[in-house]
Amino acid sequence: MHKFIFATLFSLCSTICFTQNVSGVITDTSDDPIIGAYVISGESHSHSNNQGRFQLMDISIGDTLMVSYLGYKNEEKIISNTDLEKGVVFVLEEESFDLEQVSISNSIKTVNVVATIDLQVNPVNSSQEILRRVPGLMIGQHAGGGKAEQIFLRGFDIDHGTDINMTVDGIPVNMVSHAHGQGYSDLHFLIPETIGNIDFGKGPYYTDQGNFNTAGYVEFKTKDKLENSVVGTEFGQFNSFRTFGLFNLLEKEEHQNAYLAAEYVMTDGPVESPQNFNRVNLMAKYNLEIDGGDRLSLLFSRFQSKWDASGQIPQRLVDQGVISRFGFVDNTEGGFTDRTNFLIDHTKIIDNNRFVKTKAYYSKYGFELFSNFTFFLEDPINGDQIRQKENRNVYGVNTTLFHSLNVGSTAVELNYGIGLRYDDINDNELSHTLNRKTTLDQISFGDVDETNLNAFINSEFDFGKWLINAGLRLDWFQFNYANNLSALYDNQSVDQALISPKFNVIYNPGPRWQLYFKSGVGFHSNDSRVVIAQEGTQILPKAYGTDLGIVIKPAPRLLLDVALWHLFLEQEFVYVGDAGIVEPSGKTNRSGIDFSMRYQLGSYVFVNADLTYTYARSLEGAEGENYIPLAVDLMSSGGLVFKHPKGFSAGLNYRYIKDRAANEDFSITAKGYVITDFNMAYQFKHLNFGIKVENLFDVDWNEAQFATTSRLKNEALPVEELHFTPGVPFFFKGSMTYKF
């Protein structure tokens, strides 16, 4: 009997005494950390963090660890005593893309794998496609190709970025108190071929995301290194031409690398009055790995673009046959913009459980835009052309401490962050002009200084099957506006602070499915000029959001994500075209359902689909007069892609937007559309030949459209109706790239 008791006690002691936590790091063959790799042993599972590090609970000697990550071979390792003492290192090798490798981890950003899938299957090769790689997000171009895109997400017409936070390698894209509109986000300085990863999230649930994170956020991360140098060129209809190059500069260096990227684009567009559009992009990136695992990255980019535009045309002239869909009323619209970015990104490893990531950036930005929304409504002699112009310097720094620890059998991740952004905006101007040369009247002209200090703490408690994420964010803003049109010195200042709590719960019993509940408060700041004019009221309107969803793999090569969501905003924004300003409006509610599907049919065929339905209404209008102008209630995108490892690929993609209200009572309709694009390419050794057709079926569609009151020169009375920018007709392009 005593032998049985001894054996039982020994077995229990072995389980208790020899069950430990194991830590490790996951890298690729170039020693770069792999973020978000799935690690599993029995019922214990985890994922790698921003440094490729992970911790797994309740591991014994002899247990098997398995690591998987999309696009890499799965790796297994039997745990030894040395592994428990010193940690485990996994080096993953690349292999053919297979959705079966996708594992659903206990992370609030699990759905990011969808963007990874899309980049692998159907890479981005034009600036128009960059944002379309975010599931459930669609875009439209306003005019001329040089303005920032109009963005649609979760029932929002976000205009140029008011309700979505966008960054590139930590550099903010959104421009506060911008001459053309609050949150203006021109992403054209990002060269498509340099994109390495897309991190996104819908809703205001993420503690490290601040201003404009209401409908969601998108972080674009550029590649740290190049596998090959590549040059390419593209020719298409409408005098379209693009050429680019990415050049590996330190190919044989072991602990450092650098590359240079360049792009030139030109086109006249499909419109009758040529756009004369051209854009030049330059980017250089340098990475250094320091002893001990520290990393330093330096980035420089320079962007310049100019264009002419035909503007938004009134529907009545097209209906009357006075002009075609590609005609114009005023073809003196257009603009110029440039941006220069500098970034220092440093990672300091303190120990196996702690590291600090610091990013400091500077952007110099210029913008000048000529528009005419209302033609001769205000000035029947000279017309209503306006100029919006500014020169800006943006300074910023963000530091975050990442800390992993164990509290009993619970793995805990703590992040502490602090940041500063300062916008120095000079000569922010709105003027009434003639022929882009003569200033008839300065409507507003001044200097803006806007400061945002922020701090946050974010915590994740991993209980195995359950993950609890709670965070708190503090933002403080100071708005200064100096009115240069005032006869006397007129400099006004307002400041306000805001606390944004977040709370998310994940239930993840294994690699096949995850339930999640997300909740949080976000915000978007108001334009400094609006804030000052309203004497500091409604400075930082809040957004309250909740999500309830499931991510599931019902079959090895099928991934589904379904979410029910709700978002309440304390305040919307309305862009007033004739005045060229942003006005705050009232409270709104949006509720909806998101659906995403990624499916691999066999080895070479991939199917994807995203669909969003939204019920969006203003809370301050009477029933039937409470539509939110241009809010999209139903939109979808998807496609079918064939990709063979021997070099042939082809894709057929669609995007759909339903008819929607262009004004509050739905008396004017913004027309919906279905557009289909086709692409095909063949890789032969180092050469790649491709063709692409946009709008394969040559559909007439309106890309940007607004309910606008305008008056033509021969009209006695103004007319309110739909004004639009025509979408691209059938557009054929051919391309060739060479890797070396």
Side-chain angles (χ1 to χ4, degrees):
M1 182 68 179
H2 67 279
K3 291 182 179 180
F4 173 77
I5 294 173
F6 177 78
T8 302
L9 290 174
F10 180 79
S11 175
L12 289 171
C13 183
S14 298
T15 302
I16 296 171
C17 298
F18 297 101
T19 297
Q20 301 181 41
N21 302 330
V22 64
S23 61
V25 63
I26 304 169
T27 70
D28 60 17
T29 54
S30 300
D31 201 33
D32 289 329
I34 294 178
I35 303 169
Y38 189 81
V39 188
I40 185 170
S41 178
E43 294 189 357
S44 297
H45 56 277
S46 184
H47 61 277
S48 55
N49 64 16
N50 288 344
Q51 293 302 302
R53 299 180 182 276
F54 69 91
Q55 277 199 340
L56 209 57
M57 314 293 289
D58 302 328
I59 300 300
S60 302
I61 295 173
D63 286 351
T64 300
L65 258 64
M66 193 271 284
V67 173
S68 65
Y69 188 69
L70 194 63
Y72 291 83
K73 293 180 181 178
N74 292 348
E75 293 289 342
E76 292 186 356
K77 186 175 181 61
I78 298 175
I79 296 301
S80 66
N81 186 57
T82 303
D83 295 325
L84 291 175
E85 291 177 355
K86 297 183 178 180
V88 189
V89 176
F90 285 96
V91 180
L92 304 188
E93 298 180 2
E94 290 188 26
E95 73 168 3
S96 298
F97 180 91
D98 194 327
L99 262 176
E100 195 167 351
Q101 295 173 290
V102 174
S103 297
I104 299 171
S105 65
N106 51 343
S107 167
I108 66 168
K109 296 184 177 182
T110 296
V111 293
N112 281 350
V113 72
V114 174
T116 303
I117 293 168
D118 292 349
L119 280 176
Q120 289 273 358
V121 171
N122 207 4
V124 174
N125 59 16
S126 78
S127 61
Q128 294 292 314
E129 293 179 355
I130 292 175
L131 282 168
R132 289 178 184 153
R133 284 296 174 267
V134 178
L137 186 150
M138 294 178 65
I139 62 169
Q141 177 54 247
H142 268 293
K147 290 172 67 177
E149 275 75 24
Q150 185 180 12
I151 301 170
F152 305 100
L153 178 67
R154 280 199 163 181
F156 280 84
D157 175 355
I158 299 177
D159 198 40
H160 298 295
T162 307
D163 284 287
I164 185 170
N165 180 297
M166 289 198 289
T167 57
V168 174
D169 289 333
I171 302 172
V173 181
N174 302 76
M175 293 295 181
V176 297
S177 303
H178 189 269
H180 184 63
Q182 177 69 339
Y184 186 87
S185 300
D186 186 352
L187 199 63
H188 294 139
F189 67 87
L190 178 59
I191 300 173
E193 287 79 8
T194 65
I195 297 174
N197 187 37
I198 301 175
D199 176 18
F200 74 94
K202 299 176 185 178
Y205 313 126
Y206 311 95
T207 315
D208 58 343
Q209 304 298 322
N211 199 6
F212 305 112
N213 176 215
T214 54
Y217 79 90
V218 184
E219 288 185 349
F220 294 94
K221 298 178 182 178
T222 60
K223 297 174 181 177
D224 284 333
K225 64 176 66 174
L226 302 180
E227 297 299 325
N228 303 97
S229 296
V230 59
V231 293
T233 187
E234 182 180 280
F235 294 90
Q237 294 174 270
F238 318 126
N239 294 325
S240 299
F241 170 75
R242 176 178 183 255
T243 186
F244 72 93
L246 280 73
F247 306 98
N248 194 342
L249 303 179
L250 293 175
E251 189 172 354
K252 297 181 180 180
E253 297 292 335
E254 185 175 353
H255 297 292
Q256 58 181 328
N257 59 81
Y259 68 88
L260 175 69
E263 176 192 48
Y264 175 73
V265 183
M266 62 175 287
T267 184
D268 283 337
V271 288
E272 294 174 8
S273 180
Q275 292 177 351
N276 300 312
F277 170 81
N278 64 74
R279 178 172 69 234
V280 176
N281 255 328
L282 294 172
M283 174 185 157
K285 192 170 186 181
Y286 170 77
N287 294 280
L288 173 66
E289 184 178 343
I290 309 169
D291 292 341
D294 293 0
R295 292 175 180 265
L296 175 67
S297 179
L298 305 175
L299 182 145
F300 164 81
S301 70
R302 169 67 182 173
F303 153 78
Q304 180 176 300
S305 181
K306 60 182 179 180
W307 66 97
D308 297 325
S310 301
Q312 295 145 21
I313 59 175
Q315 185 68 49
R316 60 186 182 275
L317 286 188
V318 178
D319 293 342
Q320 295 166 9
V322 177
I323 62 174
S324 75
R325 287 178 44 81
F326 300 99
F328 59 89
V329 175
D330 182 354
N331 66 342
T332 64
E333 294 192 15
F336 171 87
T337 186
D338 65 343
R339 180 167 182 167
T340 303
N341 299 307
F342 295 94
L343 172 70
I344 301 174
D345 185 348
H346 179 254
T347 301
K348 172 65 179 176
I349 305 297
I350 300 174
D351 53 39
N352 286 337
N353 298 318
R354 293 177 298 169
F355 66 92
V356 177
K357 200 166 187 63
T358 301
K359 296 186 178 186
Y361 59 84
Y362 166 72
S363 294
K364 184 172 180 58
Y365 174 80
F367 177 86
E368 184 176 29
L369 179 68
F370 293 90
S371 307
N372 188 350
F373 303 105
T374 54
F375 310 126
F376 292 92
L377 177 68
E378 302 293 335
D379 186 338
I381 305 300
N382 299 300
D384 299 345
Q385 185 183 86
I386 59 172
R387 175 176 64 224
Q388 295 165 312
K389 185 178 180 181
E390 68 167 58
N391 292 289
R392 177 188 303 244
N393 297 289
V394 185
Y395 308 86
V397 61
N398 298 289
T399 297
T400 305
L401 169 64
F402 297 82
H403 187 191
S404 303
L405 66 154
N406 297 319
V407 180
S409 60
T410 303
V412 180
E413 294 280 347
L414 297 175
N415 303 337
Y416 310 89
I418 187 169
L420 165 68
R421 172 175 173 174
Y422 170 62
D423 286 70
D424 173 27
I425 310 166
N426 300 303
D427 300 331
N428 193 311
E429 176 186 4
L430 170 63
S431 294
H432 179 201
T433 58
L434 177 65
N435 293 325
R436 293 171 65 164
K437 294 181 179 179
T438 305
T439 300
L440 301 174
D441 179 39
Q442 282 188 312
I443 302 169
S444 67
F445 183 57
D447 299 330
V448 177
D449 293 299
E450 188 167 325
T451 303
N452 174 207
L453 283 169
N454 62 80
F456 69 85
I457 178 171
N458 186 66
S459 61
E460 289 188 2
F461 297 87
D462 188 347
F463 298 99
K465 295 180 180 180
W466 292 89
L467 181 78
I468 307 297
N469 169 233
L472 197 64
R473 181 181 181 90
L474 172 65
D475 284 88
W476 176 82
F477 283 81
Q478 184 180 62
F479 306 86
N480 289 281
Y481 181 64
N483 185 0
N484 294 336
L485 294 181
S486 176
L488 301 176
Y489 179 69
D490 182 9
N491 189 347
Q492 301 181 61
S493 178
V494 173
D495 65 87
Q496 184 173 317
L498 177 75
I499 295 177
S500 307
K502 324 282 183 177
F503 183 74
N504 307 301
V505 180
I506 309 296
Y507 177 64
N508 180 214
R512 299 290 295 272
W513 64 288
Q514 173 198 99
L515 287 173
Y516 60 84
F517 169 77
K518 298 180 181 180
S519 62
V521 178
F523 70 96
H524 56 208
S525 64
N526 269 345
D527 187 293
S528 291
R529 294 161 293 181
V530 176
V531 168
I532 296 298
Q534 293 188 336
E535 298 181 346
T537 60
Q538 298 178 316
I539 297 176
L540 303 172
K542 296 179 182 178
Y544 300 84
T546 54
D547 267 43
L548 178 64
I550 183 171
V551 184
I552 187 170
K553 287 189 71 179
R557 289 177 169 177
L558 175 62
L559 178 69
L560 303 176
D561 175 27
V562 183
L564 298 171
W565 58 270
H566 175 75
L567 189 65
F568 164 73
L569 265 71
E570 288 184 338
Q571 185 188 100
E572 292 275 358
F573 287 98
V574 175
Y575 183 75
V576 184
D578 55 353
I581 61 172
V582 176
E583 282 186 352
S585 60
K587 299 180 176 71
T588 62
N589 263 335
R590 285 176 174 83
S591 298
I593 182 169
D594 283 357
F595 171 80
S596 287
M597 181 270 290
R598 299 297 182 271
Y599 179 54
Q600 184 174 354
L601 183 62
S603 299
Y604 313 128
V605 180
F606 303 87
V607 183
N608 68 87
D610 298 300
L611 183 144
T612 298
Y613 170 76
T614 304
Y615 182 81
R617 292 294 186 270
S618 169
L619 297 179
E620 300 185 0
E623 186 68 28
E625 298 178 358
N626 60 343
Y627 290 92
I628 303 173
L630 301 178
V632 183
D633 60 358
L634 183 63
M635 65 181 191
S636 178
S637 61
L640 180 69
V641 177
F642 177 85
K643 191 172 184 179
H644 196 279
K646 291 188 177 181
F648 178 76
S649 63
L652 191 69
N653 298 285
Y654 78 91
R655 57 190 188 275
Y656 163 74
I657 286 183
K658 184 186 173 186
D659 288 355
R660 60 197 192 277
N663 57 353
E664 288 80 358
D665 62 2
F666 212 158
S667 59
I668 300 176
T669 300
K671 298 177 181 178
Y673 55 80
V674 180
I675 302 300
T676 306
D677 300 331
F678 172 76
N679 64 79
M680 184 170 61
Y682 179 68
Q683 180 81 36
F684 177 72
K685 295 184 178 179
H686 298 289
L687 283 171
N688 183 287
F689 302 93
I691 62 170
K692 180 169 184 179
V693 180
E694 296 183 28
N695 195 357
L696 179 65
F697 301 112
D698 199 20
V699 174
D700 288 341
W701 63 291
N702 299 340
E703 190 158 14
Q705 42 196 333
F706 303 90
T708 304
T709 301
S710 67
R711 184 171 63 179
L712 302 173
K713 196 163 188 176
N714 60 348
E715 290 179 330
L717 297 174
V719 178
E720 183 185 17
E721 66 169 356
L722 190 74
H723 291 55
F724 68 91
T725 301
V728 176
F730 181 93
F731 182 19
F732 180 87
K733 295 182 287 185
S735 65
M736 182 177 68
T737 60
Y738 176 71
K739 292 183 178 181
F740 57 97

